[in-house]
Amino acid sequence: MKFSQLVTLTLTLVAAFVRADSDEHVDTDAEATVQAPPAVFKPTTISGVFVEQFVTPKSKGSVWIPSEAKKVVDGIEDDELLKFRGAWSIEEASVLPSIKSDLGLVVKTPAAHHAISAAFPSPFDTKDSTFVAQYVALFLCYFSMLNKKHNRYEVKLQNGLECGGAYMKLLTYDTSFTPAAFSDKSPYTIMFGPDRCGSTNKVHFIFRHKNPKTGVIEEKHLNSPGTAKIDKLTNVYTLVVRPDNSFDVLINDESVKSGNLLEDFTPAVNPPKLIDDPEDSKPEDWVDVARISDPDARKPDDWDETAPREIIDEDATIPDDWLANEPKSISDPDSTKPEDWDDEEDGEWTAPTVENPKCADVSGCGPWSKPLKPNPAYKGKWKAPLIDNPAYKGAWAPRKIENPDWFEDKQPSNFGKIGAIGFELWTMQNGILFDNIYIGDSEEDAKTLRKETWAVKHKIESEQEAKNKPAQDSSPEDDSNKSTIQKLISRANAFRTRIYKLAFRLYSVGDYTDAITEHPAEFATIVFCVVYLLYTLSTLVQTILGLFKSTPVVAAEESKAKTE
């Protein structure tokens, strides 16, 4: 079995395992946090190129269309893993609800690929115009582009975000685009929003730029992006891009990154004007070693390379206040065995050690020995001194020539035409809610919508979270009352969480070596489960084949018995 096939089979098992637990957890969490919202939804009067608050019946019509396509991943052919089978729903928030009848677009399926998109009524040409894109999700995202382009959206992570994305894609205008065919391969102009898994936690800002000479389209990634909010509150993410190419990324109205499209992206928008000549090579007789060992130097006859660096100080005496009979550390007298400590499972408990307080104000404790001191006779290994290399010609570098592919785009903020918005995600969590999407040309309208929606939600949700927190937090007394079975279940759930994080890294990121090195126990468990499953299937097949082979023999013996 190929490694990719092993990973595919493993992910299928793990995903099913996680989904069962995740659904159960969501129901419990929602039941604990659902309350009557104190505010009532009122549709905004703001207009733009595309404004979406998921007000019925518009949102239940043909505006948002789930994808019927599937991903293409080398070495994986399982349709269940590759197709966009993740379900979507338009519904109210189930965790920390804040505004009654406020609907949003919700990710319903954990451990799955999701893709959904909506085409604009007409393409939005960003040339020489302000562009704003903004959205809210229980992971709220505000995306705005000043003076030319504005985007806003809200994102709410109702079940948190351990491994997955909640970013939007603004799709490049194409007359042949059909939402049902939307996939990870669909050309986009801008990708913006939060993404987190393992050590990755950032707010993407990526734009695609076309080389006017070669026609090649290249992704430009923001250097050192900010980190995403991963709580269950509605958070707003804002991107501002101005005609002078300056930009700002804000989270909840606070700037976390600012810069310039021409300076803060990798690879750079404009290539260098001069490049190294690819046909130039260093001459064989070129000497670029500046210093060499003196060939005429000789080791002195009295140079002793065997002398140690340090020797015992024979003149040293034990200090008067040295406590030879006192240990340096003792068991912590204030430490007690935890109530939930299980000797059978956790091993024999021993108190932690602390520094002996009697040794604090004296020269030392414990057995004393004479210290070491530098050896005056030490010289170390002899080496010939360095001298300037008489043949040195300097550091070699290829000559510079004009870059044949050079161009200069002075205004990459002109992103071209945008024709649709889409969410194409892989996530291990469900419950991500998107809402209040605004795409238009007014920063003020985006700001007003933010005040009407996010500011209201964030205040109410924060108050609800503070009110619920004491009841949700378990005290040490509660933990001590847990049965051994409950403790084992809790630890098993934590281990399972680590397993599906590892599975995601192996499958989606392709991070084999580092992932396995960092999580050997989890990887061993996955391999064991797969091997055990294959062994069981093999045994079952052999048993079935054995039954078919033995049938003629039994029939012959029965016939012989009847004849006799």
Side-chain angles (χ1 to χ4, degrees), residues 43-55 58-59 63-64 119-121 132 134 152 421 435-441 445-446 449 452:
T44 185
T45 58
I46 292 172
S47 62
V49 173
F50 184 84
V51 179
E52 179 64 277
Q53 290 188 295
F54 300 96
V55 180
K58 173 187 174 184
S59 298
V63 176
W64 291 93
F120 295 167
V132 182
Q134 177 169 288
R152 178 192 188 280
I421 178 176
D435 196 6
N436 294 317
I437 301 169
Y438 171 84
I439 296 177
D441 57 6
D445 283 352
L449 182 59
E452 293 176 357

Side-chain angles (χ1 to χ4, degrees), residues 312-322 363 368-372:
I312 296 174
D313 185 359
E314 299 294 347
D315 298 329
T317 58
I318 185 171
D320 294 337
D321 62 346
W322 190 279
S363 299
W368 181 86
S369 58
K370 291 184 177 182
L372 297 176

Side-chain angles (χ1 to χ4, degrees), residues 49 119-124 173 418-419:
V49 173
F120 295 167
S122 59
F124 186 12
Y173 176 66
I418 297 174

Side-chain angles (χ1 to χ4, degrees), residues 120-365:
F120 295 167
S122 59
F124 186 12
D125 191 348
T126 64
K127 184 177 181 180
D128 300 326
S129 67
T130 299
F131 176 70
V132 182
Q134 177 169 288
Y135 72 87
V136 176
L138 252 150
F139 205 43
L140 170 92
C141 247
Y142 170 71
F143 178 51
S144 134
M145 306 179 128
L146 269 185
N147 267 350
K148 296 294 170 194
K149 322 146 186 72
H150 293 269
N151 291 282
R152 178 192 188 280
Y153 70 93
E154 292 179 354
V155 181
K156 188 172 184 180
L157 301 176
Q158 300 185 97
N159 299 322
L161 184 66
E162 290 191 357
C163 193
Y167 42 80
M168 63 150 59
K169 286 185 176 181
L170 298 172
L171 307 180
T172 306
Y173 176 66
D174 183 352
T175 55
S176 63
F177 172 74
T178 55
F182 172 52
S183 73
D184 57 314
K185 303 300 182 184
S186 299
Y188 68 88
T189 299
I190 293 173
M191 188 172 97
F192 176 73
D195 187 18
R196 179 178 186 258
C197 191
S199 59
T200 298
N201 182 6
K202 59 185 173 182
V203 180
H204 287 291
F205 174 23
I206 305 170
F207 69 92
R208 298 171 77 240
H209 182 268
K210 184 177 182 179
N211 185 316
K213 281 199 169 184
T214 64
V216 174
I217 296 177
E218 195 172 45
E219 290 183 352
K220 310 298 181 181
H221 292 249
L222 175 61
N223 300 330
S224 304
T227 56
K229 297 283 187 181
I230 56 174
D231 55 30
K232 299 180 182 181
L233 303 179
T234 298
N235 296 294
V236 61
Y237 291 73
T238 308
L239 172 63
V240 181
V241 179
R242 305 177 182 89
D244 62 358
N245 300 315
S246 63
F247 72 88
D248 279 290
V249 175
L250 303 91
I251 301 178
N252 293 346
D253 287 344
E254 294 184 7
S255 179
V256 296
K257 181 72 176 180
S258 61
N260 191 288
L261 297 182
L262 294 171
E263 299 171 358
D264 295 280
F265 286 77
T266 302
V269 171
N270 296 316
K273 194 168 186 177
L274 297 177
I275 61 172
D276 293 338
D277 185 352
E279 297 182 359
D280 189 19
S281 59
K282 184 170 69 173
E284 294 182 1
D285 61 348
W286 189 277
V287 178
D288 54 9
V289 179
R291 303 269 290 174
I292 60 173
S293 299
D294 186 353
D296 298 327
R298 297 291 181 271
K299 182 173 72 172
D301 295 336
D302 60 347
W303 191 285
D304 184 3
E305 294 184 340
T306 63
R309 183 185 295 271
E310 293 181 318
I311 58 175
I312 296 174
D313 185 359
E314 299 294 347
D315 298 329
T317 58
I318 185 171
D320 294 337
D321 62 346
W322 190 279
L323 303 179
N325 296 323
E326 286 288 342
K328 294 181 180 180
S329 59
I330 59 173
S331 297
D332 187 355
D334 298 326
S335 176
T336 58
K337 182 178 179 179
E339 294 181 6
D340 62 347
W341 188 276
D342 188 333
D343 289 343
E344 204 169 298
E345 182 177 336
D346 302 323
E348 183 179 354
W349 182 83
T350 56
T353 59
V354 296
E355 185 179 348
N356 189 344
K358 295 181 180 180
C359 303
D361 300 322
V362 296
S363 299
C365 293

Side-chain angles (χ1 to χ4, degrees), residues 9 11 29 32 302 333 370 384 483:
L9 180 58
L11 279 170
D29 193 32
D302 60 347
K370 291 184 177 182
S483 66

